[in-house]
Amino acid sequence: MTDATPQPVFLKDYTPFGFLVDRVELTFRLAPTETRVRARIAFRPNPAATDRRFFLHGEELTLISAAIDGRPVTPEITAAGLSCEVPDAPFLWDCEVEIAPKENTALEGLYMSNGMYCTQCEAEGFRKITFYPDRPDVMAPFRVRIESDLPVLLSNGNPVARGTGFAEWDDPWPKPSYLFALVAGELVATSEHYTTSEGREVDLNIWVRPADQGKADYALDSLIRSMRWDEEVYGRAYDLDVFNIVAVDDFNMGAMENKGLNIFNSRYVLASPETATDRDYENIERIIAHEYFHNWTGDRITCRDWFQLSLKEGLTVFRDSQFSADMRSAAVKRIEDVMTLRARQFREDNGPLAHPVRPESYTEINNFYTATVYEKGAELIGMLRRLVGPEGYRKALDLYFSRHDGQACTIEDWLQVFEDATGRDLTGFKRWYSQAGTPRVKVTEDFKDGTYTLHLEQETPPTPGQDEKAPQVIPLALGLLSPNGDEVLPTTVIELTEARQEAVFEGLGAKPVPSLLRGFSAPVILERDSSSEERAFLLAHDTDPFNKWEAGRSLAREILIEMVTEGAAPAPAWLEALASVARDEALDPAFRALALRLPGEDELAEALAGRGTVPDPLAIHAARETARTAIARHLEQLWPGIYRQMTCPGPYSPGAADAGRRALRLVALGYMARLDGGAQARAHFAAADNMTDEIGALSVLVETGGAEEALDRFARRWGDDRLVMDKWFGLQASLAAPERAVAVTRALTEHPDFTWKNPNRFRAVIGGLTANAAGFHDPSGAGYDLLADWLIRLDGVNPQTAARMSTAFETWARYDAGRRAKSKAAMERIAAREGLSPDMGEMIGRLLAAGQSAD
């Protein structure tokens, strides 16, 4: 085989595969370095195809034999796969290959994790298992035989046979190869039975290593609640006799929705009060739901090609957000979703990696598993639901499931069911899928003779490869408040469709205060001049929970920007507004906790850059520290009372109510530590009986100093628990003082437990540094150099994880000339590495090319 330079794939070039697959039979004879895979595949010509060349993807495979209808053949083999002359009629392809799972450090295809065999085939990992048309529009039922002495042998579908040294599985539902899964190892199950709304009896199993037994109860409970919710809200029942989830230590992503056999990063399965935080429990609940919901939105209906990735991912993220909102606080969930969107996707939209929800081309599809596809894609579903209403949305989804079950679909198919179900023309809305960038909506106003007019303008800035942008369809939810705080106009949705529009409201007795973009009704940036007094008014009186939080957040952002740019002191009115939130016991504790936290350093840097100011990471860090100390002092009399009141009664519960109380209590603890030198935090740490409190107090001590003894005690206690130690590694890198961050991180990479080939541990340490904005952007460039060193090293072992970590360079162009030069030099050093993976090559190339204008 010879290497070839990866070529871009274009949406416009899509053509169907020349052959249909009627069935796939696979036999695995497992061995660490000599696994044999035999594939018997029934092909027939595809009448919808115009190109009948027979090409099967295959990478890093040793071909043992190949035959067509029992006759040996000698195919032509390249680094990308094989081609062969085949009959113009149905035929049986039979081939055997050899692979080495133990040597597969990329964690794609079939690999080993601490003695366990497992697979990851999305997006293009199946081609590392056997020769096959590894594309999502080729769907077929699979039957799998696994031969091994290991006690647990799992694959997709239902178990159909088992004996000494083997197990057979049959999946009757046609699926693409990216949904194939296999697991074999020493495992134990936490099990339950579930009866679906259609009367099907289903065996549920969460498989873990024997040492982790007892940590899967919450995952199982989350699965049952997910199944019930999907039946009640979407009318979707499960369709096999067994549903298996397996926890895997070495996994590039969070989890994978393989049909009937979900494979999970162990951090999103394993939980006990002693080892998992409230956030861990929330993530387990959300990700279990997400992967289960894929059974219909991803498995039963999949995407025609990878350009349509958001068809399954955006829709399923929206569904898991609905589920989490129903399980917990809808208001808090919405705020957290928007915080994630702004932190990850808005930054992506405003940088060199900007791309549409449905891109026009890609070189490595692994690089497009992005916040734009997932989070922005979910926002598009939310806008559709808002535009057509809940009833129209449910009617459209019912039509989608009935019309496209068993198909590989496109964004056009998705939008067509909405048009057919509701009668609405969505031609303009489709632009959300093809235009990159975050629209800016500028708002001005006037009031005269009882008539209030909003003047609305929208514009989407240029992004790489897209300069001219047409107006988007934007559902703008708003309300109006009277000067005394009463709501004079309840939430109303205005549809923006033009570059300029007006909204007129008549019969008002006084000029109202507008509450705009309620519930964050569209993924846009709202630009409107407003005073600090108005923001404080909305924080006190707005009836929309999101906008109540947003008022406080934007007020804090403005105060902090003034502190950075003008050396201003924290405004007393702002501090008192925070005090009013802290005192308001009618508010959800989780909401109060969010409202009392300051905007992050990267958020402030983005805001400054958006105003044409070059951000100084160290000045931003110093301003936040000053503000936090000012808040601690201004509310000094409140913190002890909040700390005591938020003590949770009874044993630990991961439910929303207790989690909210713990969140607010830890906020109070953090502010108290700025006044008492960490005395209460040390006592909290010593008395903690759950991981939320223990790691929360430890984090406070790391931030305020004097954490050495607590860090040593924590490591001695939890040194054998890999997931808990990920937290220990991560908090030190992410919370270290800026001047020490690189040195602390470098020391962590030299720790004997820094198993850098494990994605979780690598992300904890190196990702911890990049999350420490002032430390990573140290003017010496040491942070950039350390990241480059490790990306070069990891790229040769696990290109997918390395390429995703390279996005830490995404904002390089917004900083001063010195930092730009040093980050550019670090990226150029990566680009010059001999044998750079296509994954990394594409990412670094895009980062460098799009940032040239900043020089």
Side-chain angles (χ1 to χ4, degrees):
M1 298 185 182
T2 59
D3 292 331
T5 301
Q7 297 299 310
V9 180
F10 293 92
L11 172 61
K12 63 181 177 62
D13 293 338
Y14 170 82
T15 57
F17 183 56
F19 300 84
L20 301 175
V21 179
D22 290 324
R23 72 181 187 278
V24 178
E25 296 177 1
L26 301 174
T27 299
F28 290 80
R29 295 201 301 275
L30 298 179
T33 59
E34 297 176 331
T35 288
R36 289 292 181 98
V37 183
R38 183 181 181 186
R40 293 168 57 85
I41 306 168
F43 287 102
R44 60 185 166 90
N46 183 355
T50 56
D51 184 352
R52 291 283 175 78
R53 287 176 296 178
F54 185 73
F55 176 81
L56 303 182
H57 299 100
E59 297 177 4
E60 302 171 22
L61 306 173
T62 300
L63 181 64
I64 304 302
S65 64
I68 294 177
D69 291 332
R71 295 187 299 274
V73 295
T74 304
E76 180 182 347
I77 299 177
T78 68
L82 64 74
S83 55
C84 188
E85 294 294 325
V86 298
D88 188 19
F91 64 92
L92 180 65
W93 168 262
D94 191 332
C95 84
E96 186 172 10
V97 301
E98 185 174 277
I99 55 178
K102 188 175 181 179
E103 298 171 6
N104 181 2
T105 60
L107 312 185
E108 295 178 281
L110 178 65
Y111 66 94
M112 298 191 74
S113 173
N114 296 326
M116 177 171 67
Y117 293 86
C118 55
T119 56
Q120 172 54 31
C121 293
E122 187 176 358
E124 296 176 339
F126 192 77
R127 62 191 61 188
K128 294 184 177 182
I129 293 175
T130 191
F131 291 104
Y132 193 78
D134 189 12
R135 42 188 289 171
D137 60 341
V138 177
M139 304 174 70
F142 279 60
R143 187 179 179 100
V144 177
R145 178 182 172 91
I146 309 168
E147 298 178 0
S148 172
D149 293 333
L150 290 168
V152 176
L153 308 174
L154 306 173
S155 192
N156 308 90
N158 296 318
V160 292
R162 182 174 179 85
T164 302
F166 81 95
E168 294 184 3
W169 293 78
D170 183 77
D171 186 358
W173 299 102
K175 66 173 179 286
S177 56
Y178 82 85
L179 291 172
F180 171 79
L182 179 151
V183 171
E186 298 271 358
L187 299 166
V188 294
T190 299
S191 304
E192 188 57 86
H193 299 287
Y194 182 81
T195 304
T196 72
S197 58
E198 297 175 347
R200 178 188 291 272
E201 295 292 332
V202 184
D203 291 330
L204 308 179
N205 302 295
I206 312 288
W207 296 92
V208 302
R209 296 185 183 280
D212 295 320
Q213 194 167 17
K215 295 183 180 180
D217 291 343
Y218 193 75
L220 184 59
D221 178 69
S222 298
L223 174 59
I224 291 170
R225 287 185 284 116
S226 302
M227 297 175 78
R228 185 176 300 117
W229 185 90
D230 210 20
E231 291 172 346
E232 294 171 352
V233 178
Y234 279 85
R236 298 297 101 193
Y238 188 59
D239 51 8
L240 290 168
D241 299 333
V242 63
F243 188 90
N244 288 313
I245 292 174
V246 181
V248 177
D249 293 340
D250 300 282
F251 204 70
N252 283 336
M253 297 188 285
M256 180 59 208
E257 71 267 20
N258 318 293
K259 182 71 177 177
L261 176 56
N262 287 185
I263 299 179
F264 271 62
N265 188 317
S266 57
R267 66 181 296 190
Y268 298 123
V269 172
L270 305 179
S272 69
E274 298 78 18
T275 61
T277 64
D278 292 336
R279 180 62 68 186
D280 292 331
Y281 277 99
E282 290 176 29
N283 284 334
I284 288 168
E285 179 181 74
R286 174 179 60 86
I287 296 173
I288 289 282
H290 179 96
E291 305 306 334
Y292 174 74
F293 296 156
H294 265 312
N295 186 63
W296 277 92
T297 52
D299 294 1
R300 287 282 287 264
I301 304 175
T302 192
C303 45
R304 185 195 71 178
D305 51 67
W306 292 120
F307 297 101
Q308 323 295 330
L309 180 59
S310 190
L311 179 65
K312 74 182 185 76
E313 294 300 349
L315 175 55
T316 307
V317 169
F318 178 72
R319 276 157 44 77
D320 81 52
S321 291
Q322 286 182 294
F323 170 77
S324 294
D326 285 350
M327 296 298 108
R328 296 176 178 268
S329 164
V332 170
K333 173 60 177 171
R334 186 60 184 145
I335 292 168
E336 291 178 340
D337 283 350
V338 175
M339 290 173 67
T340 299
L341 183 81
R342 287 173 169 170
R344 297 177 57 212
Q345 199 282 319
F346 276 23
R347 187 174 88 165
E348 196 166 85
D349 255 352
N350 196 40
L353 301 181
H355 63 87
V357 173
R358 182 171 68 179
E360 294 296 319
S361 67
Y362 63 80
T363 300
E364 279 294 331
I365 185 56
N366 287 332
N367 290 336
F368 280 90
Y369 281 73
T370 62
T372 296
V373 168
Y374 281 67
E375 278 74 27
K376 187 174 182 178
E379 292 296 319
L380 269 56
I381 309 301
M383 284 194 292
L384 268 178
R385 187 176 185 273
R386 191 178 291 273
L387 289 168
V388 304
E391 292 183 3
Y393 175 79
R394 176 60 189 267
K395 185 178 179 181
L397 266 292
D398 287 344
L399 179 59
Y400 179 64
F401 293 129
S402 64
R403 177 181 289 179
H404 294 296
D405 187 12
Q407 296 179 13
C409 296
T410 64
I411 298 298
E412 285 75 15
D413 296 325
W414 165 251
L415 294 177
Q416 189 65 51
V417 298
F418 276 83
E419 293 188 335
D420 293 347
T422 67
R424 184 183 178 104
D425 183 357
L426 294 174
T427 302
F429 187 84
K430 185 180 176 182
R431 283 195 288 271
W432 278 104
Y433 287 96
S434 59
Q435 290 189 169
T438 304
R440 270 68 168 169
V441 177
K442 183 178 180 180
V443 182
T444 56
E445 64 204 280
D446 58 59
F447 180 76
K448 183 178 182 181
D449 300 328
T451 298
Y452 180 68
T453 304
L454 288 172
H455 306 279
L456 307 164
E457 299 180 23
Q458 64 160 298
E459 180 185 16
T460 304
T463 53
Q466 287 188 342
D467 294 329
E468 299 297 325
K469 308 291 178 73
Q472 298 280 33
V473 177
I474 300 173
L476 180 68
L478 61 89
L480 300 177
L481 303 178
S482 70
N484 66 4
D486 294 335
E487 191 169 68
V488 295
L489 178 73
T491 302
T492 302
V493 177
I494 297 171
E495 292 185 28
L496 305 186
T497 57
E498 306 296 332
R500 294 176 178 81
Q501 284 180 234
E502 289 186 351
V504 180
F505 306 93
E506 300 177 334
L508 300 173
K511 183 180 179 180
V513 177
S515 171
L516 302 173
L517 201 64
R518 282 187 160 181
F520 198 71
S521 57
V524 303
I525 293 174
L526 196 65
E527 297 177 349
R528 174 179 172 270
D529 292 333
S530 61
S531 65
S532 297
E533 291 75 17
E534 181 181 289
R535 293 189 182 99
F537 174 86
L538 290 171
L539 178 60
H541 297 290
D542 205 326
T543 57
D544 180 74
F546 175 81
N547 273 12
K548 182 185 235 8
W549 170 83
E550 177 81 318
R553 186 79 165 192
S554 61
L555 180 60
R557 190 162 50 244
E558 291 303 315
I559 296 293
L560 286 162
I561 286 174
E562 289 179 5
M563 293 175 67
V564 172
T565 59
E566 302 173 17
W574 172 55
L575 296 173
E576 190 51 39
L578 290 176
S580 69
V581 171
R583 292 189 194 101
D584 192 348
E585 296 183 10
L587 294 174
D588 181 352
F591 179 92
R592 291 158 72 188
L594 284 172
L596 290 168
R597 291 193 177 104
L598 297 181
E601 294 177 19
D602 190 73
E603 180 180 341
L604 293 170
E606 184 74 15
L608 285 163
R611 301 178 187 200
T613 300
V614 177
D616 180 347
L618 293 175
I620 291 171
H621 178 79
R624 285 186 82 251
E625 289 299 291
T626 299
R628 293 170 75 183
T629 300
I631 295 169
R633 288 175 177 160
H634 190 80
L635 281 68
E636 182 174 3
Q637 301 305 312
L638 294 178
W639 298 129
I642 291 173
Y643 181 81
R644 289 191 301 271
Q645 292 165 10
M646 291 300 111
T647 302
C648 294
Y652 176 88
S653 167
D658 279 6
R661 296 173 70 87
R662 280 188 292 272
L664 182 54
R665 193 170 192 242
L666 287 170
V667 168
L669 184 69
Y671 283 117
M672 291 166 66
R674 292 178 174 271
L675 306 176
D676 68 4
Q680 186 61 55
R682 280 187 285 274
H684 191 105
F685 176 78
D689 64 356
N690 63 80
M691 183 52 63
T692 302
D693 282 331
E694 188 171 356
I695 202 74
L698 183 60
S699 298
V700 169
L701 291 172
V702 170
E703 280 195 291
T704 55
E708 290 77 11
E709 182 180 347
L711 284 167
D712 289 344
R713 176 178 168 181
F714 190 94
R716 288 194 303 272
R717 181 180 182 187
W718 298 112
D720 293 333
D721 191 307
R722 58 200 179 281
L723 295 180
V724 174
M725 288 301 290
D726 285 340
K727 306 178 196 300
W728 183 85
F729 276 97
L731 70 86
Q732 292 181 76
S734 62
L735 299 178
E739 66 276 11
R740 298 181 59 245
V742 175
V744 167
T745 304
R746 183 174 286 111
L748 291 171
T749 65
E750 296 168 357
H751 192 284
D753 290 333
F754 178 58
T755 49
W756 62 276
K757 294 181 182 180
N758 176 269
N760 287 349
R761 188 60 50 88
F762 187 90
R763 286 187 287 254
V765 175
I766 305 302
L769 172 63
T770 62
N772 187 332
F776 176 60
H777 294 291
D778 186 271
S780 69
Y784 309 141
D785 287 338
L786 184 61
L787 175 62
D789 291 342
W790 279 103
L791 292 183
I792 289 170
R793 186 173 184 182
L794 186 64
D795 186 57
V797 173
N798 187 334
Q800 188 179 127
T801 296
R804 288 176 180 169
M805 291 293 294
S806 72
T807 58
F809 286 115
E810 192 173 11
T811 60
W812 73 279
R814 74 184 178 198
Y815 292 105
D816 59 87
R819 287 182 171 91
R820 288 202 308 272
K822 290 178 174 65
S823 56
K824 182 180 179 182
M827 287 187 285
E828 288 177 337
R829 184 157 59 87
I830 296 171
R833 175 184 175 271
E834 185 176 353
L836 194 69
S837 73
D839 305 62
M840 183 65 79
E842 180 183 25
M843 293 296 286
I844 293 296
R846 290 167 65 196
L847 287 164
L848 285 169
Q852 298 302 329
S853 60
D855 293 340

